[in-house]
Amino acid sequence: MLDAIKLTAIFPFLRWLPKVTGADLRADFSAGLTGAIVVLPQGVAFATIAGMPPEYGLYAGMIPAIIAALFGSARFLVSGPTTTASIVLFSVLSAHAEPGTAQYVQLALTLTFLVGIMELGLGLARMGALVNFISHSVVIGFTAGAAILIAAKQLKNFFGVHIPRGGHLPEILMHFVQEIPSINWYVTSVALITLLSGIATKKYFPRFPNMISALLIGSVVGFILNRWLGQEATGITTVGALPSSLPPLSAPSFDLDIIKDLANSAIVVTMFALTEAVSIGRSLAARSGDRINGNQEFIGQGLSNIAGSFFSGYVATGSFNRSGLNHQAGAKTPLAAVFAGLLLMLIVVLVAPLAAYLPVAAMAGILFMVAWGLIDFKEIRHILHANKRDASVLLVTFFGALLLELETAIFAGILLSLILYLDRVSRPTIVTRTPDPRLYNCAFSSDPDLPQCPQVSFLRIDGSLFFGSVSHIAERFDKLREEHPEQKHLAIICEGINFADVAGGGVLAQEAEQRRAMGGFLYLIHVKHGLWSALDRAGALDVIGPNRVFQSKTAAIHGIFQKLDHEICVSCDRRIFKECDTVERPAK
C-alpha cells in the first residue's frame, strides 16, 4: 500500500487511469478531436503574436498538452499556447532578438525551459499559494491591455501598411495614422471579410468553430484575388507551407549569460502562466464539483514546459477557450487532452501544406477577433463600480500594459495590490461596544446612543495585531485615554483577532502598563487559542495578567466589576451591568 501511494505521488495519472471505462474513452476521444481541430488556427495565431514561426504554436499544443494532462491534477484543463503567454513572451524577447529568427527561437526555447524549471521547483516546494498574490484585477487589467496591443501590432497586416517593429502603443498608432493614405484595400478586404465571417459564424452557427470557418473564407477570398489580379498587384502575402512533420527535437541554451538576461522575464512569465493555469483549473473544477491540487498543477505545468523546450514548443499554460470547450464537449478524464495532443500531430501532418494558401491578412482578422474576445467588458465595469482599490489596480495594470513594458505593468499591478492590501490590514476595524439591555443576555452592541460605563470602555478589534497595524491601534488607544480619562479600565473583545506577532503583543502590553498607571487595568475577552499562544510567546500575558483574560462576556463583566470604584457606582444611575443593582445606594 505504501509503495502504491509513493508511485501515485510520482505518477499522478495512475490514480485515475485504471478507472477509465470504454464510455469514458469514447467521450474523451470525441472531445480531444474537437480540441485538436480548434487549436489549429489558434496555434498559428498565437505563434504570430509571440513572434515565433507559425508551426511552433502547433508544436506547443502537442507534447506540452500531453505531459500537463498526465502530471497535473485538473480533469478538464487543456494546456498549450495562449494569448497571454504569447504576448508576454513577445514583449520580453523582442528586445533581445528579431522575432522569427533562429536566435529569437533559441531564446524562446530557453525561456520556456527556465519557466518549466521554476514551475516545477515551486510545485515541489509546495508553494502553490504564490499565485494568490496576483489579484483578479491585475489579470483583468493586463489581459485588456494586452488585447489592445495585439490588435495594434496587427494593424500593419490588417491594412497592408508598413509600421516599424516594436514601439509602444502611442508610437504604433502614430505610424499608422501616417500610413493611412497607403492602405492596401485588397489586403484590408481579406482581413475584414475574415473578421466578419468569424463574427457571423459565432452568432448564427455557434456549434461550428468560428476561427476555422473565418480562415477558410478568408483564404478563399485571398486565393481568388491573387489568381484574378496577381499577387504583385494585390500585395496579399501568405503564411507559407508549414512543415508536415512531428515536433522536431530542440534544445534550450545553457549559456549562463543568456540565462542571467532572461531570469527576471522568466519569473514574470512563470507567475502569469501559473495564475492562468490554476485559475482556469479551479473554475472548471468548481463547475464539476472536483478539487484540484495547486502544487501538483505546478508540477504538471513545469514538466510540460521542460518537455516542450526539447520538442520545439514555447511557453504553454492552461487555455481558457480550449479547456472550456473540452468540458462542454463531454470530456470525462484528462485523456481528452492527451488525445487532443496526439490527434493534433496527425492533423498537422495531413493539413500543414495547406497553410501555403493562408493569407497573413486573414490571420490579422483572426487576431482582431481574439483581441476583442480577451476584453472582459462586464467584469471591467463590475470592478470599476464595486471597489475603488481594485479599480485603481486594474487601471494601473491596464495603462501600464499599454504604455510600459508588459512585465513592468504586471509587477506594478502586483505591487500596488500588495500595498493596498497591507494598507487595509494595517487599519483593523476598532469599534466601541456596550452591553445592550434590549438584547438577549445584554449582548454587546455598537449603538452609539447607548449609555457607557463611566469607568470602563469596551472595544472590539477586527483584524490582526502585527507590526503593520500596531501604530493604528496605539493611536486609537491614545485617543481613547485622552478623550475619556475617567474610563481607567479598558476591555478588548478579541473575537475578531486571529493573529498577533511580537509587535502586536507589545502594543497590548504597553496599553496594560498605561492603564495600570492610570489606576485601572486592561482586560481581554473571548481570546482564541491561537491568539492566547501568540500573546504568551510574546510575553504580553505576563504584563496583562492571565487572570484578566476571560473566555465569556458574563465572566468578564463579573470580574471587571469587582475592580471598579464602587463609590463612583453609588452616584451612577446608568445601570450598565446587572451587577450595578448589587451596589448599596443611600436611601432617598
Side-chain angles (χ1 to χ4, degrees), residues 184 186-187 225-237:
N184 183 324
Y186 295 113
V187 171
L225 289 176
N226 278 342
R227 292 281 291 183
W228 179 30
L229 301 172
Q231 186 173 346
E232 292 184 359
T234 63
I236 301 173
T237 58

Side-chain angles (χ1 to χ4, degrees), residues 259-475:
I259 291 174
K260 181 179 178 181
D261 290 340
L262 297 179
N264 290 336
S265 300
I267 294 173
V268 174
V269 178
T270 297
M271 294 304 294
F272 241 83
L274 289 177
T275 301
E276 194 168 19
V278 174
S279 60
I280 293 169
R282 285 176 178 167
S283 174
L284 293 175
R287 296 183 194 178
S288 57
D290 294 342
R291 295 183 65 85
I292 71 166
N293 183 325
N295 294 314
Q296 186 62 52
E297 202 57 52
F298 277 28
I299 292 172
Q301 292 295 318
L303 292 174
S304 74
N305 279 309
I306 291 173
S309 68
F310 290 97
F311 286 92
S312 300
Y314 69 92
V315 176
T317 184
S319 165
F320 183 79
N321 290 333
R322 295 195 298 281
S323 298
L325 178 64
N326 188 45
H327 182 262
Q328 294 173 5
K332 301 298 181 183
T333 75
L335 273 180
V338 175
F339 282 134
L342 294 173
L343 291 170
L344 179 60
M345 296 181 192
L346 178 62
I347 293 173
V348 166
V349 171
L350 298 176
V351 306
L354 297 179
Y357 301 99
L358 176 60
V360 173
M363 287 302 307
I366 290 293
L367 292 175
F368 265 48
M369 194 161 55
V370 168
W372 180 263
L374 282 174
I375 304 176
D376 192 338
F377 293 99
K378 181 180 178 181
E379 189 61 21
I380 289 173
R381 285 194 298 270
H382 173 70
I383 292 174
L384 292 178
H385 288 93
N387 187 293
K388 290 183 179 180
R389 291 173 179 264
D390 289 337
S392 64
V393 172
L394 184 148
L395 293 173
V396 165
T397 310
F398 173 75
F399 287 109
L402 295 180
L403 304 175
L404 306 173
E405 301 300 329
L406 285 180
E407 60 268 34
T408 304
I410 295 169
F411 279 133
I414 294 173
L415 182 60
L416 181 59
S417 297
L418 293 176
I419 290 174
L420 292 177
Y421 169 75
L422 289 174
D423 178 67
R424 184 165 58 249
V425 299
S426 69
R427 299 174 181 273
T429 302
I430 305 176
V431 294
T432 300
R433 305 285 280 175
T434 307
D436 191 342
R438 299 168 297 182
L439 301 178
Y440 174 74
N441 201 27
C442 293
F444 284 114
S445 170
S446 57
D447 187 343
D449 296 327
L450 287 173
Q452 294 188 34
C453 176
Q455 299 189 63
V456 59
S457 177
F458 292 88
L459 292 182
R460 178 184 171 109
I461 300 178
D462 290 321
S464 298
L465 305 182
F466 74 111
F467 64 91
S469 64
V470 293
S471 176
H472 174 71
I473 295 170
E475 288 175 4

Side-chain angles (χ1 to χ4, degrees), residues 490-575:
L490 173 63
I492 299 176
I493 303 168
C494 302
E495 287 175 315
I497 304 175
N498 294 315
F499 167 77
D501 63 5
V502 173
V507 76
L508 293 182
Q510 183 180 7
E511 182 63 18
E513 292 174 344
Q514 293 272 15
R515 291 289 166 175
R516 191 174 290 111
M518 294 171 61
F521 296 103
L522 175 70
Y523 306 92
L524 304 181
I525 306 174
H526 292 307
V527 177
K528 298 178 181 179
H529 176 72
L531 177 60
W532 179 291
S533 299
L535 294 178
D536 189 32
R537 290 193 300 269
L541 289 184
D542 295 333
V543 180
I544 297 170
N547 59 330
R548 298 187 184 93
V549 180
F550 304 95
Q551 296 306 321
S552 72
K553 178 181 77 74
T554 302
I557 291 178
H558 182 74
I560 294 171
F561 187 79
Q562 306 305 316
K563 301 296 183 182
L564 300 182
D565 186 345
H566 290 181
E567 292 184 4
I568 297 177
C569 294
V570 169
S571 60
C572 176
D573 58 358
R574 298 182 186 180
R575 300 294 193 277

